[in-house]
Amino acid sequence: MSKKILLVEDDKTTILLLHKFIEDLGYHIVKTVATGEEAIREVIKTSPDLVLMDIVLGGEIDGIDTTRQINEGYRIPVIYITSSTDSDTLKRALATNPAAYIVKPADKKELKSAIDLALLRHEMEEKLKDSELRFFTILNSIGDAVFVMDTADQITYVNPIAERITETTINKLIGRRFTDVMNIQYDGVYSGLDDATEDIFFNYFISKSGKKVPVDFSMSPIIDFNGLRSGSVIILRDDTERVSSELKLKDSYIQIKKAVDGIIRAMAQTLETRDPYTAGHQRRVADIAQAIAREMHLQEKEIEGIFMAGIIHDVGKICIPSEILSKPGRLSPIEFDLIKTHPQIGYDILKTIEFPWPLAEMVYQHHEWLNGSGYPRGLIRDEILLGARIICVADVVEAMASDRPYRAALGVENALAEIIDKKGILFDRDVVEICIKLFRELNYRMI
Ligand SMILES: [Fe+2]
């Protein structure tokens, strides 16, 4: 379908000539009018693709004022065809951003190239404007703040969310450097726990109203057609909700952890009130086991579990008559068999409680020995959890080094000599070596 041209011309000879030219060129003159007023009405009515505009017209307004008025409401290319060549007219005409300025008499070839170019340029501009419109509509509708910067890092565009998050209007943001508008910093909320994975880290900025706003942000370069960086885009997301829910989660985790810790210690104390001779034994075993685990560079969570298991490793003794536990002399075989049930009882007490560590199993295994001569199940080597192997060594050292109802303390050195003697047979070789290092090189002391 040929393009529609509106001809604004009051000279009959020129009209005839231009009609012939334009029809020959394959375009269609949708209307010919002689005044600016009529031209504006026809633009509204016929929506031409291009206007050929004489400057000196018969009506109240000339061609230049007519074009100015058309430009206010429409995006239609205008080509002036005029006899006026004075510089004032030319200056006024150029101010209306015409597609071309042709001096009469118009040459057919010149007219063709001016019309073709004007239509082509207009089509490309329209496409560009459409894609710009689509682009900005997308940017304006997304929920994140968008900042577009030039190569000098000065802001050239922001979307409404960016205005909202910075509490600054677009006019006050454009032209400023991003870092002058937002000072993004890094912070952490520490759990106070040994396990650093419970700490929370986030980026934030202080808003104009003094609020600390956590944000998640990313920055991408804008690369032009020549492969050069022509600016950058920063996308900023308000991270308040995520950070606050993580904080709540962390708080409840700490609460639960404190509760578990309290329950375990209460269980340990219950036992120790019935068995004053072993009062403090479990805590000291837990301390030694924890020190060994730490020196073995186990993960913080695993160290924590080993400590907790150490604190209640003898909880099963709660079912053993206290006169047997505190009997000053040697135990009879029957009494000893009864004592040997405590790992199983401890396991039965703990197995239904869901702890973040395998406490029940470590308690169950703390009298198992590498060569299978331990009790209650006679497990061997890797069948025994590392935590249980550690508690086992700590238990032997603490028991020998402390007073017992039936004997005085044998001393730390005798205890260490015992574990060295049974290293690799009853006790884990690595655990024993670390335990020796603790006492002999690192000056570990039982308190
Ligand atoms: Fe025990």
Side-chain angles (χ1 to χ4, degrees), residues 55 64 67-68 71 80 86-102:
I55 291 181
I64 296 173
T67 302
R68 189 175 300 116
N71 286 348
Y80 289 119
D86 63 288
S87 61
D88 282 352
T89 305
L90 188 61
K91 206 171 157 189
R92 278 182 62 228
L94 290 179
T96 60
N97 193 26
Y101 191 98
I102 298 172

Side-chain angles (χ1 to χ4, degrees), residues 109-330:
K109 275 186 185 167
E110 187 187 8
L111 192 64
K112 176 180 166 37
S113 62
I115 294 174
D116 286 349
L117 268 174
L119 289 172
L120 184 67
R121 196 180 86 173
H122 181 68
E123 194 182 333
M124 290 180 74
E125 281 174 354
E126 288 301 291
K127 278 183 183 165
L128 196 65
K129 281 199 174 87
D130 274 356
S131 77
E132 267 183 12
L133 188 68
R134 257 200 302 275
F135 173 67
F136 286 116
T137 306
I138 292 167
L139 289 184
N140 287 345
S141 62
I142 63 173
D144 298 341
V146 180
F147 299 80
V148 179
M149 267 80 61
D150 60 17
T151 46
D153 282 340
Q154 284 179 329
I155 298 171
T156 56
Y157 169 82
V158 293
N159 71 349
I161 302 289
E163 287 185 277
R164 206 174 69 202
I165 207 167
T166 55
E167 297 169 279
T168 309
T169 58
I170 185 165
N171 294 335
K172 290 187 176 168
L173 290 170
I174 300 296
R176 292 178 67 190
R177 289 170 66 88
F178 178 78
T179 46
D180 293 338
V181 176
M182 297 212 114
N183 180 16
I184 294 183
Q185 301 190 36
Y186 191 59
D187 196 9
V189 174
Y190 303 96
S191 62
L193 304 173
D194 291 336
D195 187 355
T197 56
E198 299 305 329
D199 298 337
I200 297 173
F201 297 97
F202 56 91
N203 295 297
Y204 74 96
F205 73 95
I206 302 292
S207 74
K208 267 188 167 179
S209 48
K211 223 175 89 188
K212 190 173 188 176
V213 185
V215 284
D216 184 21
F217 82 101
S218 64
M219 185 172 179
S220 316
I222 302 171
I223 305 296
D224 68 14
F225 289 116
N226 299 317
L228 299 171
R229 180 179 168 271
S230 63
S232 52
V233 182
I234 286 183
I235 310 273
L236 211 69
R237 175 172 295 167
D238 187 331
D239 218 11
T240 307
E241 230 169 81
R242 181 190 67 83
V243 171
S244 79
S245 64
E246 275 193 25
L247 286 174
K248 278 183 198 154
L249 209 65
K250 180 177 72 68
D251 282 348
S252 59
Y253 174 77
I254 291 171
Q255 288 299 321
I256 290 168
K257 202 169 170 306
K258 278 183 182 163
V260 169
D261 198 85
I263 291 165
I264 289 173
R265 285 173 197 273
M267 287 169 85
Q269 271 174 12
T270 310
L271 170 68
E272 291 180 4
T273 51
R274 294 185 67 247
D275 179 18
Y277 286 97
T278 56
H281 163 71
Q282 295 189 107
R283 187 192 49 75
R284 285 191 293 274
V285 169
D287 277 343
I288 300 169
Q290 179 179 244
I292 294 171
R294 184 151 285 139
E295 196 54 35
M296 290 179 86
H297 305 294
L298 301 187
Q299 286 194 338
E300 203 55 46
K301 195 167 181 181
E302 206 175 346
I303 297 171
E304 205 171 67
I306 290 169
F307 178 81
M308 289 300 176
I311 282 277
I312 45 165
H313 71 276
D314 275 341
V315 70
K317 284 184 179 171
I318 207 139
C319 294
I320 313 289
S322 53
E323 51 273 22
I324 296 178
L325 293 176
S326 53
K327 186 177 172 183
R330 283 216 161 267

